[in-house]
């Protein structure tokens, strides 16, 4: 196994230009973000087959935010923005706001913001029903 690799390498997008990324987007296929590399190569989790939920657990400083950001970037690299809308929450993810997939984001976590986000999620779920 490599001692170190980049997420771009795992996605086959090393030295990619923006057009290379948009050509990589697909409108069908599984939601299967790359989560790392193992002895047998790239590791993915299929959120449709294995999910739809994914739990990332660890203590303070263990890399949870980095892992979640990597998952978001992996999804954004493979899915067209018309098919993937993301809500990112927390200062660890402000760099993701530039992705066309990000529909909404928040940095402050207070009662008013939590209420606003939950209302938005409820409206979206009702719309999808």
């Amino acid at each position: 196994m490599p001692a170190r690799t980049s997420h771009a390498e795992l996605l086959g997008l090393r030295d990619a230009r923006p057009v290379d990324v948009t050509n990589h987007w697909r409108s069908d296929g599984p939601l299967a973000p790359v989560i790392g590399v193992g002895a047998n190569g790239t590791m993915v989790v299929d959120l449709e087959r294995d999910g739809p939920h994914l739990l990332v657990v660890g203590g303070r400083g263990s890399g949870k935010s980095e892992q979640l950001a990597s998952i978001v970037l992996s999804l954004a690299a493979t899915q067209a923005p018309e098919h993937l809308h993301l809500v990112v929450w927390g200062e660890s993810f402000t760099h993701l706001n530039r992705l066309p997939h990000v529909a909404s984001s928040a940095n402050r976590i207070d009662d008013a913001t939590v209420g606003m986000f939950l209302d938005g999620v409820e409206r979206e779920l009702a719309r999808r029903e």
Side-chain angles (χ1 to χ4, degrees):
M1 288 190 14
R4 184 178 183 155
T5 188
S6 74
H7 211 73
E9 288 175 308
L10 294 177
L11 294 169
L13 293 170
R14 185 174 183 196
D15 300 322
R17 300 166 298 153
V19 69
D20 299 326
V21 175
T22 58
N23 288 336
H24 197 68
W25 287 342
R26 58 182 186 263
S27 58
D28 59 354
L31 286 172
V34 171
I35 60 168
V37 63
N40 296 322
T42 302
M43 297 173 57
V44 301
V45 60
D46 188 325
L47 294 174
E48 293 171 304
R49 185 189 68 221
D50 303 326
H53 304 288
L54 175 67
L55 178 64
V56 177
V57 179
R60 181 176 291 201
S62 64
K64 296 179 304 294
S65 294
E66 288 296 323
Q67 182 66 57
L68 288 169
S70 293
I71 289 168
V72 167
L73 289 171
S74 180
L75 289 169
T78 58
Q79 302 294 317
E82 304 85 54
H83 300 282
L84 177 69
H85 299 144
L86 300 167
V87 174
V88 293
W89 196 322
E91 292 193 25
S92 299
F93 306 109
T94 55
H95 64 290
L96 301 173
N97 288 341
R98 296 182 310 180
L99 294 171
H101 307 74
V102 175
S104 184
S105 66
N107 289 335
R108 275 189 27 234
I109 300 178
D110 56 31
D111 289 344
T113 305
V114 170
M116 178 188 71
F117 266 65
L118 291 176
D119 288 344
V121 169
E122 286 176 3
R123 282 194 307 274
E124 179 62 16
L125 289 174
R127 184 190 71 78
R128 291 180 183 200
E129 286 177 356

